[in-house]
């Protein structure tokens, strides 16, 4: 069976108000439905329902990315690499067709493998050459191509030299994230009941999630989970503390 592809959400166009209203409405109905259940059954429902609710909210409030837009080529991409790639794909199709038609596909397969090796060598050489040029360009022009590549990865769309302190601080913290200090001391005495999660811990954990990363099995982007933690912290705290209190950790 084929795995269903994870939807690609256009996070830059999320409707925050609609996302929040869908979660508010859905959570009220789930809370009423779970009030009459036993603690264990209530905990399982409270842990499963939010994930389905978040997926529904994403479908309503976050548009999907169009797959028709062409991606911007990498800085090391050249016309020579494009020609070699087209030749490599053509040879692969010919070899696959010959194999399906029970013909002698060995010569075509060997030619395809040779073309594939040439393509890889050309790409590696172009990457090494462009990387050296990029390093030299950063020394001479710090706001040139290297800066554009970094800000593009961060999702910070700026043109020219950033002047405001907030943009500069965002660049520094993204490139060099700070880690929380850990105190080394004596172990705390064991208690019969585990302490509950706090809102401060929840928000700190949410902020540590990196944006613009592939979503997990649930298909929820990190930006949405971060937004939910900021707007509905009690919803998530109730779910996590219920799991901790009842000692259950469902797959959702």
């Amino acid at each position: 069976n084929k795995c269903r592809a994870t939807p690609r959400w256009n996070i830059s166009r999320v409707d925050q108000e609609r996302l929040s209203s869908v979660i508010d409405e859905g959570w009220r109905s789930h809370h009423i439905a779970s009030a009459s259940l036993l603690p264990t059954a209530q905990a399982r429902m409270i842990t499963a329902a939010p994930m389905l609710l978040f997926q529904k909210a994403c479908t309503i409030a976050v548009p999907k990315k169009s797959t028709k837009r062409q991606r911007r080529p990498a800085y090391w991409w050249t016309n020579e690499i494009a020609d070699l790639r087209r030749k490599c794909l053509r040879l692969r199709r010919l070899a696959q067709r010959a194999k399906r038609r029970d013909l002698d596909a060995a010569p075509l397969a060997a030619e395809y493998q040779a073309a594939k090796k040439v393509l890889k060598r050309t790409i590696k050489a172009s990457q090494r050459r462009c990387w050296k040029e990029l390093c030299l360009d950063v020394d001479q022009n710090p706001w040139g191509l290297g800066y554009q590549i970094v800000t593009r990865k961060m999702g910070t769309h700026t043109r020219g030299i950033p002047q405001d302190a907030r943009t500069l601080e965002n660049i520094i913290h993204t490139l060099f994230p700070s880690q929380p200090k850990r105190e080394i001391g004596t172990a705390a005495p064991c208690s019969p009941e585990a302490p509950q999660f706090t809102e401060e811990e929840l928000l700190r954990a949410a902020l540590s999630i990196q944006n613009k990363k592939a979503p997990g099995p649930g298909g929820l982007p990190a930006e949405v989970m971060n937004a939910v933690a900021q707007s509905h912290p009690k919803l998530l705290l109730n779910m996590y503390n219920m799991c901790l209190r009842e000692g259950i950790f469902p797959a959702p």
Side-chain angles (χ1 to χ4, degrees):
N1 295 334
K2 281 188 176 181
C3 295
R4 187 174 60 180
T6 304
R8 299 182 60 192
W9 306 106
N10 191 350
I11 298 298
S12 61
R13 296 178 57 193
V14 59
D15 188 340
Q16 295 285 357
E17 293 184 2
R18 199 171 185 187
L19 182 73
S20 181
S21 64
V22 172
I23 293 175
D24 282 335
E25 183 180 354
W27 183 243
R28 278 197 299 268
S29 62
H30 287 308
H31 187 69
I32 295 172
S34 64
S36 60
L37 299 176
L38 295 175
T40 304
Q42 186 180 20
R44 294 189 182 278
M45 181 178 180
I46 286 177
T47 52
M51 305 310 294
L52 298 176
L53 179 59
F54 298 157
Q55 292 173 357
K56 177 184 176 182
C58 275
T59 305
I60 295 175
V62 186
K64 292 182 181 179
K65 283 187 176 180
S66 173
T67 56
K68 295 182 180 179
R69 290 182 60 186
Q70 294 184 349
R71 296 179 62 185
R72 185 180 302 179
Y75 66 94
W76 45 262
W77 190 264
T78 63
N79 292 332
E80 180 186 6
I81 294 176
D83 293 337
L84 290 173
R85 184 175 182 273
R86 280 193 291 268
K87 178 183 177 182
C88 191
L89 293 176
R90 181 177 59 83
L91 290 172
R92 186 179 68 176
R93 285 194 297 268
L94 291 175
Q96 289 174 344
R97 289 171 185 170
K99 185 177 180 180
R100 285 196 298 265
R101 296 170 183 173
D102 294 330
L103 302 175
D104 187 10
L108 290 172
E111 192 175 356
Y112 161 64
Q113 292 297 331
K116 187 177 179 181
K117 289 181 180 179
V118 173
L119 175 62
K120 286 186 176 181
R121 283 199 300 267
T122 307
I123 290 176
K124 291 293 184 183
S126 178
Q127 287 176 337
R128 286 193 295 268
R129 183 183 68 255
C130 291
W131 177 251
K132 291 179 181 179
E133 294 175 355
L134 185 62
C135 292
L136 293 174
D137 183 64
V138 167
D139 293 335
Q140 299 173 2
N141 181 17
W143 311 111
L145 180 60
Y147 169 74
Q148 295 174 15
I149 293 173
V150 170
T151 53
R152 196 182 308 151
K153 289 289 184 182
M154 293 168 48
T156 306
H157 303 288
T158 58
R159 294 184 180 180
I161 302 174
Q163 301 293 337
D164 58 301
R166 176 176 291 183
T167 302
L168 290 172
E169 186 178 358
N170 183 28
I171 294 172
I172 292 172
H173 285 302
T174 303
L175 293 177
F176 309 101
S178 58
Q179 300 296 329
K181 294 181 180 180
R182 293 186 298 174
E183 297 182 359
I184 301 176
T186 57
C190 296
S191 59
E193 187 174 336
Q196 299 290 285
F197 297 113
T198 64
E199 186 172 334
E200 182 183 357
E201 290 175 327
L202 173 70
L203 295 178
R204 188 165 63 242
L207 291 175
S208 68
I209 302 174
Q210 293 186 1
N211 294 334
K212 294 187 178 298
K213 296 295 182 181
L220 296 173
E223 292 85 348
V224 169
M225 294 303 298
N226 200 343
V228 173
Q230 298 290 337
S231 60
H232 298 79
K234 292 183 179 180
L235 189 156
L236 293 175
L237 278 177
N238 185 33
M239 178 176 65
Y240 293 140
N241 286 328
M242 180 72 78
C243 283
L244 190 62
R245 190 163 54 248
E246 296 299 325
I248 62 168
F249 300 95

